[in-house]
Amino acid sequence: MTETSLTTHDLLRQRYGDAIPERIISNAAIDLLLSHRSVRSYSNEPLPEGTLETMIAAAQSAATSSNLQTWSVVAVTDPERKERLATLAGNQNHIRRAPLFLVWLADLNRIAQAAEARQMPHDGLDYLEMWLVGVIDAALAAQNAVIAAESLGLGTVYIGAIRNHPLDVAAELRLPPMVMPVFGMCVGKPNPDRPAAIKPRLPQAAVLHREVFQPEQVPPAVEHYNTTMAAFYAAQRMNVEGDWVDHSAKRVAGPQSLSGRDVLRDVLHQLGFRLK
Ligand SMILES: Cc1cc2nc3c(=O)[nH]c(=O)nc-3n(C[C@H](O)[C@H](O)[C@H](O)COP(=O)(O)O)c2cc1C
């Protein structure tokens, strides 16, 4: 979503609070990236014709490991299918309401099939490494699609909850073996009555290490971020209990905090990934 009224400095302030990095180079593409926010409320307008194809062209323009292109995507617009997927993915209403729901897939099946057709071996696909390649490829492609959508004034939100019940999702989408839903993505025109805010990120000192990892930088930067997020929650009138460390620690407290995804390794085996 491009906000021509905001300067790069405004965008950086929203992204970092008072921990604004110095020496940021500004241009239209950087401003677009800095403007990102997940959008979970959509207007009733249909998407402009060509939106899907444009997003996919952007996705296919992402880098891809060894040009293997080990990803695919299923575009869902049928309200009944969206309803079933929403139920499977944490009952999230924005999936129902988005005019377009994309399910991004790590797809090792296409190469397996192509190699098999020539009686060529493809045992390398059975290794964890190749599953990771598929997931990375899908993520890079999807993020390019997000940027393309945002450049068109559209809003998106990723849906990791598509992995809550991957076998049911695979059945719903009739996925072949060795194809895994990595995440979903809602796409729609942002509802002007419920604009989404830019969410602050950690100060750069928490994520950027020069030459070698600098562990001493991290705790103060995290502490600073807790303060920034407290101000964000107050400004957004979000009644959030605890700070960012609290939420983040709760999100990873144990297998019970993984929304059923603690069994992912077994599920992947059932989907045909051997993960050697
Ligand atoms: C892989 C992935 C999975 C996500 N899954 C969900 C989800 O299931 N539901 C949701 O509402 N948001 C989901 N999100 C959105 C994040 O909550 C959001 O990106 C994060 O809070 C930062 O906010 P922002 O995107 O507005 O900057 C997901 C994001 C990513 C990258």
Side-chain angles (χ1 to χ4, degrees):
M1 196 175 356
T2 316
E3 280 183 76
T4 44
S5 53
L6 291 180
T7 64
T8 305
H9 190 267
D10 292 334
L11 294 168
L12 287 167
R13 175 158 288 281
Q14 292 188 37
R15 186 61 76 205
Y16 289 108
D18 61 8
I20 298 182
E22 288 169 13
R23 298 189 295 272
I24 294 290
I25 301 168
S26 162
N27 64 28
I30 302 292
D31 283 359
L32 177 71
L33 293 167
L34 293 173
S35 302
H36 163 78
R37 75 287 309 270
S38 291
V39 174
R40 299 178 178 83
S41 179
Y42 314 102
S43 78
N44 292 326
E45 287 172 82
L47 294 174
E49 212 172 307
T51 298
L52 175 61
E53 294 80 356
T54 306
M55 287 178 70
I56 300 310
Q60 290 193 278
S61 301
T64 159
S65 187
S66 307
N67 199 26
L68 291 178
Q69 307 175 58
T70 48
W71 64 273
S72 295
V73 61
V74 179
V76 178
T77 55
D78 174 38
E80 288 174 12
R81 182 164 289 113
K82 271 192 293 167
E83 170 63 40
R84 290 192 292 275
L85 290 170
T87 305
L88 289 171
N91 213 19
Q92 299 189 57
N93 252 332
H94 31 277
I95 301 175
R96 297 185 176 92
R97 295 203 185 118
L100 174 63
F101 185 60
L102 300 174
V103 184
W104 295 89
L105 307 165
D107 182 351
L108 301 184
N109 180 272
R110 186 170 44 234
I111 289 178
Q113 294 289 329
E116 243 159 63
R118 295 188 177 186
Q119 283 104 43
M120 292 171 75
H122 50 77
D123 298 338
L125 294 174
D126 291 338
Y127 287 80
L128 176 66
E129 160 65 12
M130 285 308 304
W131 169 80
L132 183 59
V133 163
V135 172
I136 293 170
D137 271 4
L140 297 179
Q143 183 58 20
N144 261 21
V146 164
I147 301 307
E150 291 179 350
S151 77
L152 299 171
L154 303 174
T156 67
V157 61
Y158 283 97
I159 302 294
I162 206 73
R163 299 190 304 277
N164 290 5
H165 300 284
L167 293 174
D168 296 317
V169 171
E172 175 66 44
L173 302 179
R174 299 185 207 154
L175 302 184
M178 300 178 92
V179 178
M180 175 219 174
V182 179
F183 39 65
M185 182 187 290
C186 305
V187 185
K189 283 203 173 175
N191 178 355
D193 299 331
R194 298 190 59 193
I198 292 176
K199 192 182 278 182
R201 294 292 195 266
L202 289 159
Q204 290 200 350
V207 301
L208 169 62
H209 304 267
R210 295 187 191 268
E211 306 304 335
V212 294
F213 204 93
Q214 313 277 351
E216 68 286 352
Q217 287 178 189
V218 178
V222 168
E223 204 38 62
H224 191 281
Y225 186 56
N226 279 325
T227 316
T228 307
M229 284 306 279
F232 175 75
Y233 292 140
Q236 297 298 311
R237 301 214 175 88
M238 290 165 77
N239 197 7
V240 178
E241 240 180 76
D243 57 16
W244 179 77
V245 169
D246 264 328
H247 307 154
S248 303
K250 279 183 193 150
R251 175 66 178 79
V252 297
Q256 74 285 355
S257 3
L258 299 182
S259 309
R261 301 177 217 166
D262 50 314
V263 296
L264 190 58
R265 182 197 292 266
D266 289 342
V267 168
L268 284 170
H269 281 137
Q270 292 179 62
L271 289 173
F273 295 92
R274 299 190 65 191
L275 308 177
K276 286 186 196 169

